[in-house]
Amino acid sequence: MMQSRIFALEAHVRFSDRVATVTEIIQTENASIAIWGVKPGQIVQAHCHPDGQDTWVMLRGTLTYYLGNGQSQSLNAGQVAIAEKNQIHGAVNENSEDAVFVSIYSAPQIGYEKALP
């Protein structure tokens, strides 16, 4: 059983000068929740998950979100992006401000395969 059910998201976000940084918040039998810190110019590698859905909730900033097949779309604070099983996704921060998003993986072990944006 979970120790806590409520989490202060901003307390968990981390940044690196080198790469986009993911920090796991919690993993249960049904989902895994992580928070990402993406500085300007950093990339979340295009990928897909063969065994589950990856839902991104933008908290701040803007990312160029990869849709696969060379397509992309802006993902802004307050928006949610859903990548179902095997749907390519990833992002690049092409702006001058840090971007932060929460990633909710359901089921928690969804696999990972690199893909072309």
Side-chain angles (χ1 to χ4, degrees), residues 92-115:
V92 60
N93 185 346
E94 297 179 319
N95 299 286
S96 59
E97 297 179 4
D98 292 345
V100 175
F101 69 93
V102 172
S103 182
I104 304 166
Y105 311 107
S106 50
Q109 300 298 321
I110 60 175
Y112 179 92
E113 295 178 4
K114 284 187 180 179

Side-chain angles (χ1 to χ4, degrees), residues 15-29:
F15 291 93
S16 163
D17 288 334
R18 295 179 293 117
V19 295
T21 304
V22 60
T23 305
E24 185 174 82
I25 296 172
I26 190 167
Q27 182 170 325
T28 70
E29 66 182 42

Side-chain angles (χ1 to χ4, degrees), residues 25-80:
I25 296 172
I26 190 167
Q27 182 170 325
T28 70
E29 66 182 42
N30 299 307
S32 176
I33 301 173
I35 192 162
W36 287 79
V38 188
K39 287 186 167 229
Q42 293 181 342
I43 296 171
V44 177
Q45 171 72 44
H47 62 283
C48 63
H49 301 284
D51 301 315
Q53 177 176 299
D54 191 358
T55 303
W56 291 11
V57 181
M58 284 297 296
L59 298 181
R60 59 181 158 108
T62 298
L63 293 173
T64 301
Y65 182 80
Y66 303 143
L67 300 167
N69 297 320
Q71 306 263 326
S72 62
Q73 183 175 334
S74 286
L75 182 60
N76 304 299
Q79 292 185 310
V80 174

